[in-house]
């Protein structure tokens, strides 16, 4: 019934193959998990979640399960096949192609991807399911430029949880870390039953923000290695004190600090910042604007209740409205002015060694955008 054609990729637990289904008369993806790599309970959880998401009214932006079977050694989940693979790999390829003067031939639409991802997440939440592992590797792309949220192996059918260490560190919300570090937000939690519950929907909002940050900057907002977990947790504290200073210092300043009065050098330093694949984010100031929206609506550190996907969507919609910053008629100099207004407001509390005085507002000789 299914003819395996080629392996697509191996994840931590499973290998995914492209296959042909005679029954469905279409290509499918077979996600094959050896039984020794997972527990029956984990597999049952993923199966139950997929069944619920794929049942009577499946969602166009969720990778549906078409079939499931098992033998002595393997679990096999039959999934809709997404021709362009995941967004992480896709951007990697696109990034190596694009330059400022010659953007990647693969152009995709950021606003559409954001809308589709939010729609998928809110559909799952409306069924009582939180994903808990949203990241570029789990966002699949179809040949039509649509996205499908995949890998529901860490999902939970509850809006509350006190599971820690679930998901992927670089994209996980601060409240999902348990740590031996005694700092303001993250006390050691040994006894799970007495550990406080966190809201799993709000943790999805954080991961959504961290994912979109990666898509726009081509870099993770928080990168963590196990040996540097302490530093990672301190990063959350630092980010909370002044998110704009944090992003500015780590991502913006290094890219703008040199040669910003010379457009050639400016473009060169910006080359590392974006992927040159987003057709509706024509320049780096759009990236900064989107980033500010994420900080305001999704990337709230200790006050998870302040995260709101609805506010995020509303602000994203208005940013792309006519006469707003993402509109093509909005001049380049106006974008620079807007960036300056939005970001410099928050610079007063920046660390002392943070040399704003060395960074002057760029003024382009001519408005070439
Ligand atoms: N339906 C699909 N169509 C095309 N490619 C897919 C599909 N499902 C998965 N893949 C590819 O296989 C990779 C691994 O899949 P998946 O994340 O589901 O496996 P996993 O074992 O749970 O991975 P991990 O736990 O390491 O995140 C994905 O990142 C993607 O590149």
């Amino acid at each position: 019934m299914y003819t395996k054609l080629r392996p697509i990729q191996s994840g931590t637990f499973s290998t995914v193959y492209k296959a042909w289904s005679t029954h469905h008369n279409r290509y499918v993806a077979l996600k094959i998990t050896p039984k020794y790599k997972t527990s029956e309970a984990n597999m049952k959880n993923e199966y139950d979640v997929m069944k619920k998401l794929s049942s009577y009214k499946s969602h166009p932006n969720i990778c549906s399960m078409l079939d499931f079977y098992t033998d002595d050694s393997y679990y096999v989940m039959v999934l809709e096949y997404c021709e362009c693979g995941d967004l992480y790999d896709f951007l990697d390829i696109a990034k190596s192609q694009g330059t400022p003067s010659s953007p990647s031939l693969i152009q995709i639409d950021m606003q559409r991807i954001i809308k589709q991802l939010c729609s998928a997440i809110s559909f799952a939440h409306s069924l009582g399911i939180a994903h808990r592992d949203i990241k570029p590797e789990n966002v699949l792309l179809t040949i039509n430029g649509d996205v499908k949220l995949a890998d529901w192996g860490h999902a939970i059918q509850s809006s509350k949880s006190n599971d820690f260490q679930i998901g992927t560190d670089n994209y996980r919300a601060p409240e999902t870390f348990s740590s031996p570090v005694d700092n303001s937000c993250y006390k050691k939690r040994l006894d799970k039953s007495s550990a406080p519950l966190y809201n799993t929907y709000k943790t999805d909002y954080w991961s959504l923000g961290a994912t979109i940050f990666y898509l726009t900057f081509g870099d993770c907002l928080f990168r963590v290695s196990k040996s540097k977990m302490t530093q990672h947790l301190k990063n959350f504290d630092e980010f909370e004190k002044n998110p704009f200073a944090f992003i500015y210092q780590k991502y913006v300043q290094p890219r703008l600090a040199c040669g910003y009065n010379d457009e050639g050098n400016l473009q060169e330093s910006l080359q590392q910042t974006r992927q040159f694949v987003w057709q509706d984010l024509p320049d780096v100031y759009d990236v900064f604007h989107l980033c500010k929206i994420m900080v305001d609506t999704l990337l709230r550190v200790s006050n998870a209740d302040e995260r709101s996907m609805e506010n995020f969507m509303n602000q994203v919609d208005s940013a792309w409205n006519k006469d707003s910053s993402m509109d093509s008629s909005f001049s380049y100099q106006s974008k620079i002015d807007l960036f300056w207004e939005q970001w410099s407001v928050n610079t007063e509390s920046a660390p002392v060694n943070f040399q704003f005085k060395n960074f002057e507002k760029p003024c382009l000789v001519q408005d070439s955008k």
Side-chain angles (χ1 to χ4, degrees):
M1 194 153 112
Y2 300 106
T3 312
K4 248 195 239 169
L5 298 173
R6 65 171 175 89
I8 300 176
Q9 208 168 118
S10 291
T12 320
F13 304 103
S14 60
T15 301
V16 179
Y17 294 85
K18 179 179 180 180
W20 177 259
S21 163
T22 44
H23 171 65
H24 300 96
N25 198 27
R26 64 191 266 192
Y27 290 115
V28 292
L30 301 182
K31 181 171 172 175
I32 303 185
T33 310
K35 286 191 167 170
Y36 71 88
K37 282 205 174 179
T38 189
S39 67
E40 204 178 327
N42 282 347
M43 198 64 231
K44 184 171 178 338
N45 178 57
E46 185 171 356
Y47 171 82
D48 287 346
V49 165
M50 289 306 288
K51 187 125 180 71
K52 203 164 177 182
L53 290 170
S54 315
S55 61
Y56 69 108
K57 204 177 155 202
S58 61
H59 189 279
N61 306 114
I62 289 178
C63 185
S64 289
M65 179 175 72
L66 306 171
D67 193 6
F68 180 88
Y69 58 92
T70 177
D71 62 19
D72 287 347
S73 315
Y74 299 100
Y75 298 110
V76 182
M77 200 170 264
V78 183
L79 300 164
E80 288 180 284
Y81 174 62
C82 296
E83 303 83 353
C84 297
D86 67 74
L87 268 187
Y88 184 90
D89 289 342
F90 181 84
L91 288 181
D92 227 27
I93 298 165
K95 193 174 172 181
S96 61
Q97 294 188 341
T99 67
S101 55
S102 156
S104 170
L105 291 175
I106 322 167
Q107 294 265 295
I108 42 182
D109 187 332
M110 174 62 89
Q111 191 187 14
R112 175 162 150 193
I113 286 185
I114 289 176
K115 277 191 168 171
Q116 294 185 352
L117 265 181
C118 290
S119 172
I121 293 166
S122 84
F123 176 76
H125 290 181
S126 74
L127 296 177
I129 299 168
H131 187 285
R132 299 205 294 180
D133 197 18
I134 298 169
K135 58 179 177 178
E137 292 91 324
N138 289 338
V139 180
L140 305 179
L141 194 61
T142 71
I143 197 87
N144 302 323
D146 294 320
V147 289
K148 289 185 187 276
L149 190 53
D151 193 3
W152 296 79
H154 292 299
I156 187 172
Q157 298 199 47
S158 168
S159 62
K160 300 261 178 279
S161 171
N162 56 7
D163 289 334
F164 297 96
Q165 316 299 350
I166 291 273
T168 305
D169 289 347
N170 288 350
Y171 300 92
R172 261 194 306 130
E175 66 273 21
T176 68
F177 284 85
S178 88
S179 156
V181 182
D182 184 18
N183 71 16
S184 54
C185 312
Y186 318 100
K187 300 260 184 331
K188 188 175 186 179
R189 294 171 186 132
L190 291 175
D191 176 13
K192 193 179 161 202
S193 61
S194 63
L197 293 163
Y198 58 82
N199 183 315
T200 57
Y201 301 158
K202 303 281 180 180
T203 63
D204 275 354
Y205 297 166
W206 173 281
S207 305
L208 171 68
T211 298
I212 296 169
F213 187 95
Y214 180 86
L215 300 185
T216 51
F217 272 88
D219 210 343
C220 290
L221 177 56
F222 300 103
R223 242 173 288 122
V224 61
S225 69
K226 292 275 175 232
S227 60
K228 296 205 176 113
M229 191 60 88
T230 314
Q231 178 54 39
H232 186 56
L233 299 176
K234 282 190 185 139
N235 276 343
F236 285 134
D237 283 347
E238 198 192 320
F239 180 77
E240 181 166 43
K241 272 187 216 125
N242 192 336
F244 294 97
F246 184 90
I247 295 175
Y248 197 92
Q249 194 174 23
K250 286 192 177 0
Y251 298 93
V252 181
Q253 202 187 30
R255 282 151 176 133
L256 294 181
C258 62
Y260 46 81
N261 278 327
D262 169 330
E263 197 171 4
N265 286 343
L266 172 68
Q267 290 291 12
E268 203 173 301
S269 66
L270 298 184
Q271 192 166 354
Q272 304 154 30
T273 308
R274 55 186 296 268
Q275 321 280 335
F276 302 102
V277 292
W278 303 112
Q279 58 189 353
D280 56 345
L281 284 179
D283 58 66
V284 76
Y285 289 98
D286 299 323
V287 170
F288 296 149
H289 189 174
L290 181 57
C291 197
K292 177 172 188 311
I293 297 174
M294 289 188 295
V295 166
D296 288 345
T297 57
L298 300 177
L299 297 168
R300 319 296 304 180
V301 177
S302 53
N303 217 339
D305 284 343
E306 288 173 1
R307 292 177 209 146
S308 161
M309 198 164 70
E310 198 186 337
N311 290 347
F312 172 61
M313 270 316 304
N314 289 339
Q315 291 193 32
V316 162
D317 279 344
S318 59
W320 265 285
N321 270 347
K322 198 156 170 28
D323 298 329
S324 298
S325 81
M326 315 290 191
D327 182 36
S328 56
S329 60
F330 204 74
S331 82
Y332 197 43
Q333 188 61 55
S334 313
K335 286 183 189 197
I336 296 176
D337 293 342
L338 181 70
F339 165 75
W340 219 253
E341 195 185 297
Q342 286 177 336
W343 288 66
S344 56
V345 173
N346 298 281
T347 55
E348 281 159 19
S349 55
V352 255
N353 59 354
F354 190 21
Q355 301 290 322
F356 278 105
K357 61 182 184 323
N358 293 338
F359 186 65
E360 287 158 22
K361 178 174 168 178
C363 184
L364 298 178
V365 180
Q366 59 184 46
D367 190 3
S368 59
K369 297 270 159 149

